Amino acid sequence: MSAARVRIGGARIGLDDVFARMPFRFGSVTIEAAVAATLALELTVDGRKITGYASEILAYKWFDKRPEKSAAQNVADLLSILQDAVSRAETFPEGDIFTLWQRLDAEMRGAADGQGHNALMAGYGTSMVERAIIDGVGRALGLTVHQMLKGGTTGLAPGDVFPELADMVPGAALGSPPRDRVAVRHTVGMLDPIDDADLPREKRLNDGLPETLADYLQDGIRYLKVKIAGDTDADLARLRRIASLMGRTDNTIRLTLDGNEQFASVDDFAGFMEAVRRDPDLEALRRAILFVEQPIERGAALLGHLDPRALDAIGLPLLIDESDDAPDAFRRAIDLGYRGVSHKNCKGILRSVMNAMLARYHGILRGVSLFQSAEDLSVLPVAGLNADLAVVAALGIPHVERNAHHFFNGMAHLSPRDVSAGLADHPDLYQPDARVGGRLAIRDGMLSIGSLQRPGMGFPPPDMEARVAPRDWTFDRLERRTN
């Protein structure tokens, strides 16, 4: 299959206000409201005009965690980056997806420092354009994401970025066939109620959905992602309560730890894990941990080789997330002693495919287990969530962190047209809910995602008319509803 030829035309951005079902804390921020951006990008694909789409929350205090930046400034920065990426891409000559991505990625990263933005933020703008192009090409040619990535439609030439991959085809690192089911790895945020002791009956939402971790475990969840704060005593006390719940369920529970950049060095995190190891109440929980996500602050995480003695004390593979801010980040991390990298659509699809190829190549070469995880930046129905899961299915990752189903109100932020289309096209993934239109359908801890194998990135065209133009949107729209 030859690479599609793409010319980028005009663009439109629409915004949705999204209000939390319950507060969500990660790192130093507690989120009660957010805004999601949807991009509609006009394309000409092999001579055919089509529109491609991409959608993502403008996640403040994740891309840029500098304390001097307010949430409103973070959102304004991310919106500006998206608009800059679109403006640049509109000037590019016709090319294949890989060539367009390479050029945009180079320009956005080259401009980031002068604009006061970090590389992760620059990559967000590139990834939105990249996703919209992939979506549009799939719609124009009648191909799924998996078919495009495996068959050469994107023009991906990994050897141009990593010479060792020159003789490896992308399909060697993809799932075959794409997954039609994936397990939910439920996020346990630092403010989340563990059991009824944290959430008395009079304070419950009573919206028919699980509210405490105990509720989710009773509902069949088998994978957890537990966030830690870097406060050893508080973290250990919280882990003991989680371990107690795990010991009372009939299902085998596996979990990951998310360090959220709360540790200054690998030695600091090794000290924490030694405290976990010494605690007899945490023995079963420790043995259930699969890996640890980004415990070290991004500025220090890739500065040098990880001390083998510290890694032995930790006893678990470490994964980069926030430090995965450039196409070569995982390649550098492998040499330093990391074993995993997160997939997130907001960091780029072609990057994730190349990371999967690096994991396969270097895992075999070095005789170690290298891997990708699937993590969630609160992707929302329908466009953002479907696109994320379509790529997870193509990569063949068996479980995926989700949190938007817990912290946000399903399809409440969407127009009636978006709700109807999402429910009609994806009855395996969503179910009707009279209060919010529809919501994610988690059955026995699993998501059924077979309906995502459709042209494009797995979702019906979003209702752009129902969204607010950036010029008409201000951050205080979120504050008015949460004060």
Side-chain angles (χ1 to χ4, degrees), residues 57-188:
I57 272 187
L58 301 176
Y60 48 88
K61 295 300 180 181
W62 186 80
F63 291 98
D64 185 349
K65 296 183 181 180
R66 289 177 290 180
E68 64 269 23
K69 284 278 189 175
S70 68
Q73 288 171 325
N74 276 174
V75 169
D77 286 346
L78 288 167
L79 187 55
S80 174
I81 287 168
L82 175 55
Q83 291 167 324
D84 183 30
V86 168
S87 296
R88 292 175 186 272
E90 288 174 342
T91 68
F92 292 174
E94 180 180 88
D96 60 47
I97 298 172
F98 177 64
T99 301
L100 294 170
W101 167 78
Q102 274 193 306
R103 177 170 176 179
L104 183 59
D105 181 72
E107 287 199 12
M108 293 297 291
R109 292 183 192 286
D113 277 348
Q115 296 170 339
H117 302 146
N118 62 39
L120 201 62
M121 297 169 74
Y124 159 77
T126 302
S127 79
M128 283 285 281
V129 173
E130 174 200 30
R131 278 177 271 168
I133 295 173
I134 293 174
D135 181 61
V137 169
R139 292 178 191 274
L141 302 182
L143 298 173
T144 68
V145 172
H146 186 268
Q147 290 169 332
M148 285 186 280
L149 295 174
K150 192 166 187 176
T153 307
T154 67
L156 177 61
D160 290 358
V161 184
F162 304 106
E164 67 264 43
L165 301 181
D167 296 326
M168 187 177 183
V169 296
L174 298 178
S176 187
R179 300 189 69 89
D180 61 4
R181 298 181 80 223
V182 63
V184 170
R185 184 155 40 91
H186 173 70
T187 307
V188 187

Side-chain angles (χ1 to χ4, degrees), residues 187-329:
T187 307
V188 187
M190 288 182 287
L191 286 183
D192 281 10
I194 304 300
D195 54 26
D196 289 345
D198 296 326
L199 193 65
R201 187 175 301 275
E202 64 272 14
K203 291 187 177 180
R204 281 186 169 258
L205 298 173
N206 292 314
D207 59 0
L209 301 178
E211 297 184 49
T212 67
L213 175 57
D215 295 340
Y216 277 101
L217 293 180
Q218 290 173 2
D219 253 20
I221 291 291
R222 293 174 173 83
Y223 291 88
L224 303 176
K225 171 171 172 170
V226 179
K227 292 181 176 285
I228 53 178
D231 179 335
T232 297
D233 290 341
D235 284 334
L236 291 179
R238 185 161 160 272
L239 289 177
R240 288 186 203 105
R241 295 183 63 199
I242 294 171
S244 177
L245 279 183
M246 290 169 55
R248 298 198 299 270
T249 183
D250 293 333
N251 294 324
T252 298
I253 307 298
R254 306 303 300 272
L255 71 148
T256 66
L257 294 183
D258 183 0
N260 270 318
E261 304 184 83
Q262 297 301 305
F263 298 85
S265 69
V266 68
D267 289 331
D268 287 344
F269 183 65
F272 172 75
M273 288 306 301
E274 286 282 15
V276 172
R277 191 185 303 275
R278 290 194 301 267
D279 193 322
D281 292 335
L282 295 179
E283 177 65 16
L285 180 145
R286 183 180 63 82
R287 292 182 180 277
I289 300 173
L290 299 171
F291 59 82
V292 181
E293 177 186 343
Q294 192 79 38
I296 306 168
E297 190 272 326
R298 70 184 72 173
L302 300 184
L303 287 181
H305 289 274
L306 300 177
D307 185 340
R309 293 170 298 178
L311 291 179
D312 285 345
I314 293 168
L316 294 162
L318 301 187
L319 170 147
I320 60 168
D321 180 28
E322 287 91 343
S323 289
D324 179 29
D325 60 0
D328 68 340

